[in-house]
Amino acid sequence: MSDAPVLSVVVPAFEVEQYLDECVHSIITSEVDLEVLVVVDPSSDATGRIARSWESRSARVRVIENDDRRGPGSSRNAGLHAARGTYVAFVDSDDVVPAGAFEAAIASLEDTGSDFCTGRADEFRTDGTRTTYWTQRFSVFDEGARRTTLTGHPELIWDHTAWAKVFRRSFLLDHGILWPEGVLCEDVVPATTAYVTAATVDVLPQCVYLYRRRAGSITGRLTATESLADWAEQTGRALEILSASGLPGALELAAEKVLRHEAPNRVRALGPSVDPATASAVRECVDAAVLAAGPAVLNRVPIEAMRTVRDGLPEASRGFRAVSEALGETVRAGTDRETKAGRNGLVSVVIPTYNVEPWIDECLQSVLDQDYPALEIIVVDDRSTDGTWERLQEYVARDSRIRAVRNPGVGGAQARNAGVELAAGEYLAFADGDDVIALHAYRRLVDRLEAHDADVAIGSFQKIWATGTWRADGYGLEAEVPATTLLHHPRIIRNRTCWNKLVRREFWDRHGFRFPTAPRANDIVPVTRMLDAAERITILPDVVYHYRARPGQSSMTDSLGSWTSTVAYLSQERVCAAYLDTGEWARVEHEFWSAALEADAWVALSRLVTTDEPRTGSMESTAVAETLRHLLDGAPERTLRTVDPRKRLGYVLALAERWSGLRTVVDLTTAHANDSSPSSDALVELLEAMVEGADLGCPAPVLVRLLHEHVVRGLPDLVKDSDAGERAKIRERMLRLTNRMGLSLEEAVAPGSPEARALTVLLSEHADSAPESDADRETDPSVDAEIELLDTGLARIIGRRPSITADSLAVIARNPAGDVRWVGPAVDAGDRWTAFVDLSRLDVGTDWTLDLHVVDGAGPVVTGLALRRTGNPKGSLRVVVIDGRTVVRHLDAGLVRTRNALAWRVRKLARAATRGRKA
């Protein structure tokens, strides 16, 4: 290690003997040049001894021992001042750093020059469960960002921890960013200061930290009475910093975090035993958050959270007085909704919106026109920049059933989750702001749900676009099914959209369903889980939803980068596959994989290469290929065998980042769907893609089917309509492909068929164009080979590999009249090659010399074959030597019969003569 390491990692340690080894090991296995500074508070267990053991074993580890217990804030500061690295990171001693996290963070900072880098943290428990840490459930942690700020991503203000970050050490020291000492909640102020002060920040779209959720940790004691004053003081200071920063968006989101998550937990801890000073500090902190939030933010905070805060603070504060009207309306509305919801069947319709001004009127009116009486409509707008928000306000003003709020996060998933939190209905329904709900839909779905005591009701749907409509087909929704399960009706796994379903809220909450913060396909995981968990599912064949297909990049899904969306979809599909990976679910699993590989994954990749084709070897390209590989690794072989061969080849090409080849296959699939014949240029490109696939290990049966269905069937028209140059290109690629596959082209056609006759023409042109010799090329005068004559005019030839490196090999035949015939491809196998050739194509009554036709990078060349026969003669074929030349003689059938009869007569006479002599 150099004198000045690249990275210093500070690890405060206290009473962590169970976890310290795992923590330090996860750090020092990094490939970054780093030092680990373990700052130990006096502990009653073996923490200090374990730390010193690491110091004695590794030059990367240094131990700093405090004389008395000083807490994590003081320990971090001590480590920061002792650090020597250009960069510094902080890790809690019971947590784990994933492999590659530090490498990725430093690479990003070196590239962008940002002041610090953060990334997603996952929390894990002893039971094996793992979820995203609660402050980082925003799409920016899934998509990533470079050189950003709180202005561009104000939601980053929720990220209040010291860990999961790599700082420039000079940035912290130059701005005096230190951790408060002797208090809990010590991360909030320095994290807020860092975000406000930083010129730019990087966000990695990956997990960079594993946070251990355990009983007895400092975090677990934050609702204890002794920590309330610290929380109130540190949170209040953070809000003051944001208020002075001139960043209103970040201030409002910070206040929402306090009121939505932190204040309800802290206020519950207030009681008679809490001293008046602590209670007053908590009230002042909550008061500051209410003032910072304002009515608009309060309107989107869950009702239960607001009620907890209100009831836990009996003394009215100036903040509550300032917004008493808005708060009162919020709580009263929530009480009214809950009263109605009871068992009176309120349906909560959650609608996320983003720039849907042209369609929002039709969407909302279709909900308002429902004949179901008990509805609430919660619209969560995702920071629309057109007139969507203004239109929503007009609807709110004229219909009390509609409530419009701003998305507390970013993206459709967080908008849906926010809507669910605000919903008070007994039933949940979802819609997108550019779609239309069918008349009577919610009444019919509620009736079905109640009639069959089901958890989920599903209706059919219709896709609409400017020029037509398409009704859902193939999703298992075609007929009425009173009550079923996913196991008994597995085809419904093909439909995993949330908007054509009605769900009991109690069932939703009991299983903890949430929409993951993925930029695309964020409903497929919760719907998969929902279908899996439901004890009763009822199916209504009526159309209940009209899904609008919008062209271009205007929808919430398509407005994101195509490669980002593709990675997000493939990642979500992997999670779905994991839920269904059990033996008893074999039928469900087959339906799932069939839908994923034949439809959904193929559509995702097709969209990628036709709109935003990634550059091979780029970060985007590798991300798509690797995520696809992880998905396909779980696909059962029995399902892969049934996948359309075009798509199977496409997946092979995508895994190798051969995007142009994939685009060729996608174009072929589209042309076939439109009943249009591919051009000769398209066939050339397809054959090139197939050769690539053969080189990459695409299964031979897949390529044989493709060759037969999409090349051979078109040969008659090709030979008739194309010129010699086009035919030559296709012929050359067909020969390369069959050479890779170890097949003869004749095996792909039926004897005597139009395709066979067209193939004969194509190959005859190839043989006729073969050069006699090439004086400028160095090659073997002849190649030793063995020929074995088989039945039905076939022969097997095994020969020594020629001295030049060959791209393709084939056997041709010549006769004294100068005729040339192509008789079969040769398969290169190391130092030998093998060819199965059809000698029945040779004209009878003449001798044919067999040569080896070799194509390499410089072009074609012909070399002779010195043949040695093995086995017995078969039928009309003979291998003979005439004037020192090995030739194949194809005899006339009549002559063969005459020779055979004469031979039989000679043998009979010889046997008779032998018997006479013995007698």
Side-chain angles (χ1 to χ4, degrees):
M1 187 175 69
S2 63
D3 291 340
V6 173
L7 175 67
S8 298
V9 184
V10 178
V11 183
F14 173 72
E15 306 280 2
V16 287
E17 65 177 358
Q18 288 180 268
Y19 314 108
L20 186 57
D21 267 330
E22 184 180 8
C23 174
V24 176
H25 182 267
S26 73
I27 298 171
I28 66 167
T29 52
S30 169
E31 295 182 2
V32 173
D33 180 12
L34 58 77
E35 64 175 354
V36 184
L37 303 170
V38 185
V39 186
V40 181
D41 270 355
S43 303
S44 60
D45 64 0
T47 297
R49 179 176 56 79
I50 294 170
R52 289 189 294 273
S53 173
W54 274 106
E55 184 178 41
S56 66
R57 286 181 287 153
S58 174
R60 287 181 155 197
V61 179
R62 284 195 288 154
V63 175
I64 301 172
E65 298 193 66
N66 294 325
D67 295 332
D68 52 15
R69 184 177 176 184
R70 300 180 185 179
S74 175
S75 294
R76 290 195 184 106
N77 293 336
L80 175 62
H81 290 303
R84 299 174 296 151
T86 304
Y87 302 98
V88 63
F90 300 93
V91 176
D92 285 356
S93 51
D94 53 350
D95 295 339
V96 177
V97 179
F102 288 145
E103 290 87 339
I106 290 174
S108 181
L109 292 173
E110 290 286 321
D111 187 43
T112 64
S114 292
D115 291 316
F116 68 94
C117 180
T118 186
R120 193 184 81 244
D122 286 355
E123 65 175 61
F124 65 100
R125 300 174 184 268
T126 54
D127 62 2
T129 57
R130 176 169 162 176
T131 57
T132 301
Y133 190 69
W134 70 275
T135 64
Q136 298 178 329
R137 293 170 184 167
F138 293 94
S139 58
V140 67
F141 288 98
D142 294 312
E143 300 164 24
R146 291 160 65 84
R147 295 184 59 79
T148 191
T149 64
L150 284 180
T151 301
H153 286 283
E155 68 273 20
L156 288 173
I157 200 60
W158 279 44
D159 179 28
H160 63 219
T161 63
W163 38 258
K165 299 171 181 63
V166 172
F167 299 91
R168 291 186 187 275
R169 185 163 62 95
S170 59
F171 165 72
L172 296 179
L173 296 176
D174 291 348
H175 291 90
I177 299 176
L178 298 173
W179 276 255
E181 302 184 5
V183 299
L184 297 176
C185 303
E186 75 285 346
D187 286 354
V188 178
V189 170
T192 301
T193 305
Y195 271 114
V196 169
T197 307
T200 60
V201 177
D202 293 347
V203 184
L204 293 177
Q206 67 185 70
C207 176
V208 300
Y209 195 85
L210 295 174
Y211 167 77
R212 191 188 305 270
R213 179 72 69 177
R214 64 182 178 92
S217 66
I218 293 176
T219 305
R221 301 197 304 269
L222 291 181
T223 56
T225 300
E226 64 268 19
S227 71
L228 290 174
D230 289 344
W231 171 79
E233 179 188 1
Q234 297 302 310
T235 302
R237 286 185 58 196
L239 291 174
E240 290 174 0
I241 293 169
L242 286 169
S243 180
S245 69
L247 297 167
L251 175 61
E252 288 183 357
L253 282 171
E256 181 176 354
K257 182 186 74 164
V258 172
L259 297 174
R260 178 185 287 266
H261 294 285
E262 296 177 349
N265 291 331
R266 270 62 175 198
V267 167
R268 288 191 191 98
L270 291 174
S273 61
V274 176
D275 64 273
T278 298
S280 176
V282 172
R283 279 192 292 270
E284 288 183 8
C285 177
V286 173
D287 180 58
V290 170
L291 283 173
V297 172
L298 290 173
N299 195 42
R300 69 186 186 219
V301 173
I303 295 163
E304 184 58 38
M306 292 303 302
R307 182 180 290 111
T308 299
V309 173
R310 184 197 62 181
D311 295 345
L313 296 172
E315 296 181 15
S317 64
R318 57 190 176 88
F320 273 88
R321 286 195 300 271
V323 294
S324 59
E325 183 177 354
L327 179 61
E329 290 177 359
T330 297
V331 175
R332 281 198 301 276
T335 303
D336 291 343
R337 284 196 298 273
E338 288 179 350
T339 300
K340 287 189 292 183
R343 286 293 297 173
N344 292 327
L346 182 68
V347 173
S348 297
V349 185
V350 177
I351 306 176
T353 58
Y354 175 74
N355 286 356
V356 289
E357 183 184 11
W359 307 282
I360 190 61
D361 286 330
E362 187 177 7
C363 174
L364 290 178
Q365 198 58 52
S366 73
V367 183
L368 295 173
D369 288 344
Q370 295 292 310
D371 58 356
Y372 187 77
L375 288 174
E376 70 166 353
I377 305 165
I378 302 169
V379 187
V380 185
D381 185 65
D382 193 29
R383 295 178 175 84
S384 293
T385 56
D386 63 356
T388 299
W389 180 250
E390 289 71 23
R391 293 296 298 150
L392 291 174
Q393 296 308 304
E394 294 176 19
Y395 274 92
V396 169
R398 66 174 184 251
D399 197 308
S400 61
R401 292 176 294 175
I402 300 177
R403 182 181 181 189
V405 299
R406 295 286 196 183
N407 188 2
V410 177
Q414 294 188 33
R416 285 184 177 131
N417 289 333
V420 171
E421 287 184 355
L422 295 172
E426 183 182 355
Y427 310 106
L428 285 175
F430 300 93
D432 288 346
D434 53 350
D435 295 339
V436 178
I437 291 81
L439 199 61
H440 313 304
Y442 293 139
R443 177 177 58 79
R444 290 173 177 170
L445 289 169
V446 170
D447 288 349
R448 298 283 304 182
L449 204 69
E450 290 302 322
H452 302 289
D453 193 25
D455 297 313
V456 182
I458 309 175
S460 187
F461 63 94
Q462 186 181 55
K463 187 175 182 179
I464 58 176
W465 57 94
T467 57
T469 62
W470 173 83
R471 180 163 177 169
D473 183 38
Y475 295 100
L477 309 177
E478 296 79 16
E480 179 178 343
V481 181
T484 188
T485 64
L486 180 59
L487 187 60
H488 292 92
H489 198 67
R491 201 162 187 82
I492 57 176
I493 197 64
R494 292 173 175 264
N495 170 235
R496 292 167 295 155
T497 55
C498 62
W499 31 249
N500 63 324
K501 298 171 178 66
L502 187 74
V503 188
R504 288 190 188 277
R505 175 63 184 267
E506 181 276 332
F507 167 71
W508 181 278
D509 289 344
R510 174 159 40 96
H511 291 278
F513 301 133
R514 284 183 64 85
F515 294 93
T517 54
R520 181 180 169 193
N522 55 58
D523 52 353
I524 65 175
V525 170
V527 172
T528 298
R529 291 184 59 205
M530 187 170 68
L531 295 175
D532 177 23
E535 296 181 5
R536 281 175 176 254
I537 299 169
T538 185
I539 297 172
L540 178 70
D542 300 347
V543 170
V544 300
Y545 196 86
H546 301 283
Y547 166 73
R548 190 187 307 274
R550 284 199 269 149
Q553 299 285 310
S554 58
S555 68
M556 290 179 74
T557 297
D558 291 335
S559 63
L560 298 156
S562 291
W563 77 269
T564 307
S565 297
T566 304
V567 170
Y569 157 70
L570 294 172
S571 299
Q572 294 303 299
E573 205 69 277
R574 284 179 56 205
V575 178
C576 293
Y579 279 109
L580 304 174
D581 187 18
T582 58
E584 65 174 346
W585 291 87
R587 289 174 59 218
V588 179
E589 188 183 46
H590 177 73
E591 291 285 352
F592 164 78
W593 283 108
S594 295
L597 300 182
E598 291 283 9
D600 298 341
W602 183 253
V603 169
L605 291 175
S606 299
R607 181 179 298 176
L608 174 70
V609 296
T610 54
T611 60
D612 187 25
E613 182 178 315
R615 178 172 52 83
T616 299
S618 65
M619 178 182 72
E620 297 88 347
S621 173
T622 302
V624 173
E626 285 304 308
T627 312
L628 177 64
R629 187 183 313 281
H630 291 318
L631 175 64
L632 293 178
D633 282 347
E637 182 60 34
R638 64 182 181 278
T639 303
L640 287 174
R641 287 196 296 267
T642 66
V643 172
D644 184 313
R646 295 166 298 183
K647 296 170 183 176
R648 188 82 182 271
L649 172 61
Y651 290 133
V652 171
L653 295 170
L655 290 173
E657 303 180 46
R658 307 290 178 87
W659 304 116
S660 59
L662 174 60
R663 174 65 184 269
T664 296
V665 180
V666 168
D667 291 343
L668 169 73
T669 307
T670 304
H672 190 265
N674 295 332
D675 293 326
S676 58
S677 299
S679 65
S680 58
D681 287 341
L683 281 179
V684 169
E685 292 176 356
L686 172 62
L687 286 164
E688 287 282 5
M690 293 171 68
V691 171
E692 272 193 299
D695 291 340
L696 295 168
C698 185
V702 172
L703 296 173
V704 169
R705 277 186 62 191
L706 278 172
L707 185 65
H708 183 263
E709 294 175 5
H710 299 286
V711 179
V712 170
R713 284 181 181 175
L715 283 180
D717 291 336
L718 173 71
V719 171
K720 180 178 65 176
D721 299 334
S722 61
D723 59 35
E726 293 171 331
R727 292 195 296 274
K729 291 179 182 178
I730 292 176
R731 181 175 57 245
E732 188 271 333
R733 285 156 179 81
M734 290 176 69
L735 292 174
R736 283 171 54 199
L737 175 62
T738 53
N739 182 62
R740 300 290 202 282
M741 295 161 54
L743 298 172
S744 168
L745 275 176
E746 285 85 344
E747 295 175 7
V749 300
S753 65
E755 291 85 0
R757 290 191 292 273
L759 184 62
T760 299
V761 173
L762 196 67
L763 296 178
S764 296
E765 289 179 341
H766 170 64
D768 293 341
S769 64
E772 287 292 327
S773 61
D774 189 339
D776 296 329
R777 305 284 303 284
E778 281 193 16
T779 184
D780 310 87
S782 65
V783 173
D784 294 331
E786 295 180 350
I787 182 169
E788 179 183 4
L789 300 177
L790 308 173
D791 292 325
T792 64
L794 295 179
R796 175 170 49 226
I797 304 176
I798 301 174
R800 177 176 55 81
R801 184 175 182 176
S803 59
I804 61 175
T805 301
D807 291 330
S808 68
L809 302 170
V811 177
I812 62 174
R814 307 167 183 273
N815 66 13
D819 297 326
V820 182
R821 297 286 185 270
W822 187 93
V823 292
V827 180
D828 193 354
D831 61 347
R832 311 285 286 174
W833 54 266
T834 301
F836 287 90
V837 297
D838 185 2
L839 301 178
S840 65
R841 297 180 58 214
L842 304 181
D843 296 341
V844 299
T846 187
D847 295 332
W848 294 85
T849 302
L850 299 186
D851 296 323
L852 188 64
H853 184 258
V854 184
V855 178
D856 67 357
V861 66
V862 174
T863 185
L865 286 177
L867 293 171
R868 181 173 63 84
R869 193 190 76 196
T870 62
N872 297 316
K874 302 288 184 180
S876 62
L877 296 172
R878 296 292 183 271
V879 176
V880 297
V881 178
I882 301 177
D883 297 332
R885 293 183 305 116
T886 307
V887 300
V888 173
R889 179 167 293 172
H890 189 183
L891 303 177
D892 177 82
L895 178 59
V896 170
R897 286 194 295 272
T898 301
R899 286 186 54 184
N900 289 344
L902 288 173
W904 175 81
R905 183 66 176 167
V906 168
R907 287 196 299 272
K908 185 175 181 181
L909 290 173
R911 283 197 298 271
T914 301
R915 284 196 297 271
R917 285 196 299 271
K918 289 181 178 179

